[in-house]
Amino acid sequence: MPPPSRSLLWLGLVLGAVCASREPPAPGNATDPLNVLLIIVDDLRPSLGCYGNKLIRSPNIDQLASRSLLFQNAFAQQAVCAPSRVSFLTGRRPDTTRLYDFNSYWRVHAGNFSTIPQYFKENGYVTMSVGKVFHPGISSNHSDDSPYSWSVPPYHPSSEKYENTKTCRGPDGELHANLLCPVDVVDVPEGTLPDMQSTEQAIQLLGKMKTSASPFFLAVGYHKPHIPFRYPKEFQKLYPLENVSLAPDPQVPAGLPLVAYNPWMDLRQREDVQALNLSVPYGPIPADFQRKIRQSYFACVSYLDTQVGHLLSALDDLQLASSTIVALTSDHGNEVVSN
Ligand SMILES: *[C@@H]1O[C@H](CO)[C@@H](O)[C@H](O)[C@H]1NC(C)=O
Ligand SMILES: *[C@@H]1O[C@H](CO)[C@@H](O)[C@H](O)[C@H]1NC(C)=O
Ligand SMILES: *[C@@H]1O[C@H](CO)[C@@H](O)[C@H](O)[C@H]1NC(C)=O
Ligand SMILES: *[C@@H]1O[C@H](CO)[C@@H](O)[C@H](O)[C@H]1NC(C)=O
Ligand SMILES: *[C@@H]1O[C@H](CO)[C@@H](O)[C@H](O)[C@H]1NC(C)=O
């Protein structure tokens, strides 16, 4: 992996893992516009085989990377979902969109800027959003920038509403809202997980677009490996705990300005983290629990990789691969996992 500096890892300002597949357009139709499949993965660091990570199993993304332009020196504009996403989707810096957290809407607070999907839409593309593409708005009604960016109403997986609910079986046999949440998919509400639903929806849309006269821009936003780490439990087996090292830099770096320290409050709210009885609110996470966090993060990356695999296989099966540009990126790295 091209090592970004450790202080950057601590600040979580990593990533921009972009693999863009560049296949030639279909023969004879060189001037036909290509479709675009934009895959956005929430909190994905370059913890991927294609970035030289020897532990991570990410065969599908690695294969995409092997026939793509792989960005080795890309950085997130901000280590928070909403500003980072709005930044790359509008092609403007967070200082321009005036979004540093989750709440303001650039069309109201900064300027009526076009987005990338909006630009495609205004140029004859059918634009579609599946899953978490824009960060959903909290205090206003600008969720997904609909209708400006999208030709059809954005899709959100119905099972996403269970992400933070008590669906993780603990050692006590009860269900908890845990950080570490390997599940039997047949046992969870609706018998599915959000990213699986998003893959199915995206494949359905691709099927519909196959016969469309217009080109398409399909954005698919996957939720994992964002916390909570709720994933099919079989992926945990890929990462036996004894094979999972601690982060190379598990301590707060000396001299880090307090403002740059992230105490991971979101993580500390989870029942299994609360059960650790951490002595001080911002106190260090015990090493064995750090290892479990990393294990589940890596498992989520592999789970996510299989979803990307299904999506890319569908593109092949539908014979859309040669007429579609595929780009895969993330909003920023996960702040609790370094490697
Ligand atoms: C693309 O190719 C098909 C089949 O060769 C042809 O019918 C169609 O007109 C072409 N489209 C353009 C825009 O040239
Ligand atoms: C913002 O731009 C869109 C088209 O890009 C336009 O439809 C809309 O009216 C504009 N809104 C304002 C407040 O100017
Ligand atoms: C936002 O949504 C709320 C609740 O659905 C509604 O009452 C309000 O009118 C909406 N505001 C705008 C500006 O659309
Ligand atoms: C765990 O590490 C051992 C020793 O390096 C290796 O033999 C084994 O294949 C690893 N297991 C997995 C699932 O990667
Ligand atoms: C945390 O505190 C509770 C209640 O005092 C206790 O039952 C539990 O064993 C403690 N957990 C740990 C990991 O020390």
Side-chain angles (χ1 to χ4, degrees), residues 23-298:
E23 296 199 351
N29 264 331
T31 58
D32 279 2
L34 294 169
N35 306 307
V36 179
L37 172 62
L38 171 63
I39 304 170
I40 304 172
V41 188
D42 208 348
D43 283 9
L44 178 67
R45 307 167 52 81
S47 300
L48 295 167
C50 59
Y51 281 100
N53 190 309
K54 299 277 189 280
L55 181 67
I56 305 295
R57 311 283 181 88
S58 52
N60 296 292
I61 294 176
D62 298 348
Q63 201 199 22
L64 174 65
S66 72
R67 50 198 170 107
S68 303
L69 178 67
L70 181 69
F71 287 79
Q72 301 274 2
N73 193 22
F75 294 85
Q77 297 279 23
Q78 193 168 324
V80 181
C81 299
S84 172
R85 286 164 187 255
V86 165
S87 176
F88 68 70
L89 288 164
T90 59
R92 287 175 167 81
R93 297 182 184 91
D95 290 340
T96 306
T97 60
R98 296 198 205 144
L99 180 60
Y100 307 104
D101 52 18
F102 301 106
N103 293 322
S104 72
Y105 185 23
W106 77 93
R107 292 193 194 272
V108 175
H109 292 108
N112 197 19
F113 309 133
S114 291
T115 68
I116 292 172
Q118 180 185 354
Y119 182 79
F120 276 91
K121 185 182 162 195
E122 286 166 359
N123 285 280
Y125 278 64
V126 175
T127 60
M128 300 164 288
S129 172
V130 169
K132 181 173 170 182
V133 176
F134 284 98
H135 194 285
I138 292 171
S139 67
S140 55
N141 299 355
H142 57 83
S143 238
D144 302 309
D145 192 42
S146 184
Y148 297 108
S149 287
W150 310 111
S151 311
V152 294
Y155 169 87
H156 291 283
S158 57
S159 66
E160 175 61 16
K161 62 178 170 289
Y162 304 110
E163 274 305 276
N164 296 310
T165 62
K166 293 177 188 282
T167 54
C168 325
R169 182 91 43 204
D172 59 1
E174 303 294 319
L175 294 174
H176 297 279
N178 282 348
L179 173 71
L180 312 180
C181 189
V183 297
D184 249 327
V185 175
V186 289
D187 285 347
V188 298
E190 297 187 27
T192 187
L193 294 173
D195 289 341
M196 295 178 169
Q197 287 187 289
S198 288
T199 302
E200 281 168 26
Q201 174 72 11
I203 291 173
Q204 270 185 29
L205 291 172
L206 289 174
K208 280 188 193 150
M209 292 316 295
K210 184 177 164 56
T211 52
S212 163
S214 310
F216 65 82
F217 177 103
L218 171 62
V220 182
Y222 285 117
H223 287 275
K224 293 304 113 180
H226 192 293
I227 64 170
F229 301 126
R230 192 163 166 269
Y231 60 97
K233 66 179 188 189
E234 55 270 25
F235 288 95
Q236 199 181 43
K237 298 198 185 78
L238 296 175
Y239 305 100
L241 267 184
E242 61 270 25
N243 287 26
V244 177
S245 61
L246 289 177
D249 49 0
Q251 306 301 326
V252 177
L256 184 83
L258 197 58
V259 67
Y261 176 60
N262 184 338
W264 320 305
M265 293 314 289
D266 192 10
L267 178 150
R268 287 166 195 274
Q269 294 162 14
R270 315 283 160 167
E271 286 181 39
D272 47 352
V273 181
Q274 296 266 318
L276 298 172
N277 301 335
L278 301 177
S279 53
V280 279
Y282 294 178
I285 305 284
D288 61 337
F289 200 81
Q290 287 187 34
R291 227 182 272 278
K292 288 182 183 169
I293 292 175
R294 287 162 60 75
Q295 175 192 46
S296 278
Y297 180 87
F298 299 152

